[in-house]
Amino acid sequence: MFGYVKPVVSELLVKENEFYRATYCGICRAMKRHTGRLSTVTLTYDSVFLALVRMAYIPDSELSSSMRRCIAHPMKKKNMLNENSAIEYTARAFGILTYYKMRDDLTDERAGKRMLLSLLRPIASDAKKRANLSELSDTVRDRLEKITEHERARTASVDEPASLFGELLGEIFSFGLSGEDKLVTYQCGFHLGKFIYAADAAEDYSEDKRLGRYNPFIELYGGAELTAENKASIKCALLLECRALEGAVNLIPFGRKITVENIVRNIIYLGLTKRIEFLDGEDGEEKKGQE
Amino acid sequence: MMKDPYSILGVSPGATDEEVKNAYRSLARKYHPDNYADDNPLKELAKEKMQEINDAYDTIQRERRSGSSSYSSSSQSYGSTGGYSTSGQSNVYVTIRLKINERKYREAENMLLGIPDAERTADWHFLTSVCLMQRGRVNDAMRELEIACSMDPSNQEYQNAKQMFNSGGNNYGSMYYGNSGGYRRARSSTDDACNCCINLMWLDCCCECMGGDLIRCI
C-alpha cells in the first residue's frame, strides 16, 4: 500500500529473512480467515512491520511456524507463522486500512488505476465488514476525512496533513493495548505515518504537479523544479522523523525476540532510508556505510 | 530494588564485568532521554527506563567491588540544558528567549503569535522555528528557519542552527550500519561510548550553537 516499510533483504540474516516471509504468509492466512479469501490480493509487505511491532507484546511461546501449502505456491510447502493475536490483529487492521485507502484513492487516481480499484472495492468493503473493529474503523475514517479537508483547502504545510496520517497509524499500532505499551506503539505508528505521508508527497511532486493534484510541497515551493537544497531539507526532516521513530522502537520490549527486533531495526534504519534515496543529489554515493 | 538487576540489564548473574558493562551501555544508548524531544510523550518513560538501568548497574557494581564504580554518576549524564544567548535583542524577544531557556515552549509560542505580522523580524522566524521544532513539526520549523536566514543572511546564529539542523539526520542508522560493523556487533563493541555521543540529540545542537555548552551535556 505504501511500499515504504520494507527491510533491505540483503542485510538480513537468512533466519531473519525466513521469519519475515513466514510472517507475511501468516498474515495472508489470517486474512483468508478473518477478512475473506479474496482480500488477500490487497495484502502488501508493509503490513509485516505492524505485525512485528505487535509481536513484541505477545508471549514468546506464541511464535511458532509450520510448513504449509497455499494457492499462490501449490508446488512447494512454505514456512508460515501460525496465527497469533498479533497476526490476527494485523490482518483485521489492514483490512480496514485498505478499504478506506482505496475509497480515498478512487477519487484522486487516474482513470486506469481507478478502474482497477473499483474492481477491488467490493472485496475491500467486504474485508472491512468482516474485520469487525468498528471503533478503529471510525477513527481511520475520521483521520482520512480530515486529510481530505486539507487537500481541498490546499494547506501549505506538510506537518498538518502528515500528523493526521501519523495519528491514523498511531491508532492502528496502539489499538487494544494500554498504558505504556499503548504510548510507545502509538508514537511508533505516529512517526512512521508522518514519514510515509511526507516521503510520499515528496516522491509524487512532479506527477502531482502535472495532474494538478494537491501536494503540500507544491504549495510550499510553488511548483518549480525542486532544487538540491529543497531536497536536502525535505530529506533532513524525514530523517528527523526516523529518529523519533527510532526513539519509540527503542522502548518496545522485544526481550528475547531478537530476530523480530533485528528485522524491525533493519526496516527503520535501512529500509526507510533506502526508500528516500530519490532525494539524494549528486552526493548520493557517500552513504556506503563504511567510514 | 524490586527487580533483579541482572534481568533488567538482560545478562546472567555469571556475566563478566565486561559483559555487564556492554549490556548497560547498549541499553543506556537506547533509553538516553536526549534521544527524545522535550515534548515527546516518551521522554518520561525513557527517563524511567534510564533510571532503572542506572540503578541496576550501580547495584551490580556495588555488589561486585564496593566503591570503585566509575559509572555511579552516570545518571547525571543526561541532565542537559542548553543556554540561549540573550544579548542584543529587543525586549520582547529577550523575554521569549528566556521562556525558551526555561523550556516553556507553549508560552513562548503564544507570545510569538501575539506579535503582529508587520513586526515579525528574522528573529521572530528563528524563535518560531525553535518552538515548532519542540513540537515535532520539523518541516514547518525548517521553513521558518529558512525564512529567518533569508531575511538576515549574515546572522551566524541562524546559519549555525541551519547547519546543525541539516546534519541532524546524518548519523541516522549508525547504530545499525556504523563503523563498528553493524547493529548486532555494536552490542559488544567497545566504542559504544562514541556512538552515544553521536546520538546526542540534534535539539541540543540547537542549544549549543545558541551559546549553550555541549560539553556540559556530556
Side-chain angles (χ1 to χ4, degrees):
Chain A
M1 188 179 320
F2 321 117
Y4 282 97
V5 207
K6 285 185 213 165
V8 170
V9 175
S10 57
E11 295 287 343
L12 287 174
L13 292 182
V14 173
K15 68 171 176 182
E16 288 164 4
N17 191 21
E18 198 167 298
F19 188 87
Y20 182 75
R21 288 173 175 282
T23 306
Y24 180 79
C25 291
I27 298 169
C28 185
R29 270 192 83 228
M31 283 188 90
K32 229 177 275 174
R33 277 187 54 186
H34 301 293
T35 61
R37 182 173 289 273
L38 287 170
S39 71
T40 55
V41 296
T42 63
L43 180 63
T44 66
Y45 276 101
D46 298 294
S47 61
V48 180
F49 186 76
L50 172 62
L52 292 170
V53 168
R54 297 285 294 220
M55 272 183 220
Y57 297 95
I58 61 174
D60 295 7
S61 57
E62 284 184 31
L63 294 185
S64 62
S65 64
S66 37
M67 300 297 282
R68 290 200 175 82
R69 253 183 253 280
C70 75
I71 312 182
H73 311 274
M75 303 306 282
K76 207 174 155 217
K77 282 194 175 179
K78 290 206 144 216
N79 195 16
M80 300 181 190
L81 227 58
N82 295 328
E83 194 172 312
N84 56 44
S85 54
I87 291 207
E88 185 199 322
Y89 172 72
T90 304
R92 290 179 191 273
F94 258 72
I96 290 169
L97 192 55
T98 309
Y99 169 75
Y100 284 112
K101 199 77 188 32
M102 204 170 270
R103 203 179 69 157
D104 226 36
D105 288 350
L106 265 172
T107 55
D108 59 34
E109 286 292 344
R110 275 151 301 151
K113 201 166 173 194
R114 226 178 18 230
M115 222 170 77
L116 189 75
L117 285 170
S118 58
L119 287 175
L120 290 173
R121 187 177 169 164
I123 301 169
S125 162
D126 181 50
K128 189 209 80 172
K129 258 185 240 133
R130 292 207 207 183
N132 201 17
L133 297 171
S134 59
E135 204 179 318
L136 184 65
S137 168
D138 291 344
T139 318
V140 171
R141 194 182 54 231
D142 172 68
R143 297 303 186 280
L144 285 173
E145 274 167 6
K146 284 188 180 141
I147 293 175
T148 311
E149 277 167 30
H150 281 297
E151 282 165 3
R152 291 220 182 91
R154 304 217 155 229
T155 309
S157 158
V158 190
D159 287 311
E160 284 183 36
S163 296
L164 285 165
F165 193 65
E167 286 173 22
L168 189 161
L169 281 198
E171 296 288 348
I172 287 186
F173 274 66
S174 63
F175 185 81
L177 297 174
S178 61
E180 200 178 280
D181 299 347
K182 191 175 186 76
L183 192 67
V184 171
T185 46
Y186 183 90
Q187 287 300 316
C188 189
F190 178 73
H191 292 292
L192 181 68
K194 278 190 81 181
F195 175 92
I196 292 172
Y197 189 93
D200 213 29
E203 194 171 40
D204 291 346
Y205 189 87
S206 318
E207 201 190 331
D208 286 347
K209 197 179 84 185
R210 199 162 45 80
L211 298 167
R213 283 193 304 221
Y214 168 71
N215 183 314
F217 288 115
I218 296 178
E219 308 299 324
L220 284 169
Y221 295 112
E225 190 75 22
L226 289 178
T227 63
E229 204 179 326
N230 294 152
K231 284 185 181 173
S233 69
I234 294 172
K235 180 164 186 182
C236 182
L238 285 169
L239 287 177
L240 291 176
E241 220 54 73
C242 287
R243 284 242 148 181
L245 172 60
E246 177 191 15
V249 166
N250 282 347
L251 292 168
I252 296 176
F254 288 105
R256 285 162 195 240
K257 301 185 192 84
I258 292 169
T259 302
V260 178
E261 174 167 8
N262 279 337
I263 303 171
V264 166
R265 289 194 185 273
N266 178 305
I267 293 173
I268 67 162
Y269 293 137
L270 306 178
L272 294 185
T273 48
K274 185 165 186 174
R275 203 56 190 77
I276 54 170
E277 270 172 7
F278 66 88
L279 288 168
D280 289 338
E282 302 78 3
D283 50 353
E285 78 278 3
E286 266 183 9
K287 306 215 173 302
K288 280 274 147 68
Q290 291 285 313
E291 186 72 277
Chain B
M1 191 114 248
M2 54 272 120
K3 241 172 126 185
D4 168 31
Y6 289 97
S7 69
I8 289 172
L9 295 186
V11 292
S12 73
T16 64
D17 286 355
E18 192 66 16
E19 282 164 351
V20 173
K21 191 160 81 184
N22 284 332
Y24 166 75
R25 280 180 174 177
S26 88
L27 286 173
R29 195 173 52 180
K30 264 188 175 179
Y31 300 144
H32 203 290
D34 277 358
N35 289 331
Y36 302 85
D38 279 345
D39 258 20
N40 192 324
L42 299 178
K43 194 177 180 93
E44 278 310 307
L45 185 58
K47 272 187 188 165
E48 282 168 29
K49 299 258 182 206
M50 190 77 181
Q51 194 56 52
E52 196 180 46
I53 59 160
N54 279 339
D55 290 347
Y57 188 68
D58 286 348
T59 310
I60 294 174
Q61 290 290 80
R62 237 180 291 121
E63 269 175 20
R64 293 197 167 185
R65 56 191 121 95
S66 46
S68 68
S69 160
S70 59
Y71 273 86
S72 52
S73 62
S74 55
S75 53
Q76 279 149 21
S77 66
Y78 57 85
S80 59
T81 23
Y84 286 74
S85 67
T86 49
S87 57
Q89 308 291 329
S90 74
N91 255 334
V92 59
Y93 291 117
V94 172
T95 325
I96 293 170
R97 273 169 194 260
L98 285 173
K99 291 275 177 227
I100 291 176
N101 263 343
E102 293 164 25
R103 308 205 165 196
K104 292 179 180 161
Y105 303 110
R106 304 268 167 188
E107 285 177 37
E109 209 174 340
N110 285 336
M111 290 178 73
L112 284 164
L113 288 172
I115 296 172
D117 275 3
E119 293 165 31
R120 294 181 176 179
T121 60
D123 221 34
W124 185 91
H125 291 284
F126 175 67
L127 294 174
T128 304
S129 166
V130 174
C131 292
L132 285 170
M133 181 62 99
Q134 289 301 330
R135 283 170 44 194
R137 299 187 52 158
V138 279
N139 288 285
D140 293 346
M142 191 154 237
R143 285 297 291 177
E144 293 296 339
L145 187 55
E146 272 162 14
I147 296 172
C149 288
S150 65
M151 282 173 85
D152 184 0
S154 62
N155 189 307
Q156 205 50 45
E157 188 182 17
Y158 307 163
Q159 293 299 336
N160 287 348
K162 197 171 163 188
Q163 226 175 351
M164 291 297 186
F165 197 101
N166 280 321
S167 62
N170 273 356
N171 295 305
Y172 178 72
S174 60
M175 239 170 107
Y176 195 100
Y177 226 14
N179 47 18
S180 57
Y183 172 69
R184 296 176 192 98
R185 257 170 289 162
R187 289 188 156 186
S188 57
S189 75
T190 45
D191 58 1
D192 284 17
C194 280
N195 288 337
C196 193
C197 305
I198 291 168
N199 277 341
L200 269 179
M201 255 307 262
W202 42 272
L203 263 182
D204 278 305
C205 295
C206 269
C207 311
E208 186 209 11
C209 66
M210 292 169 76
D213 186 2
L214 181 70
I215 307 301
R216 199 161 49 117
C217 306
I218 302 173

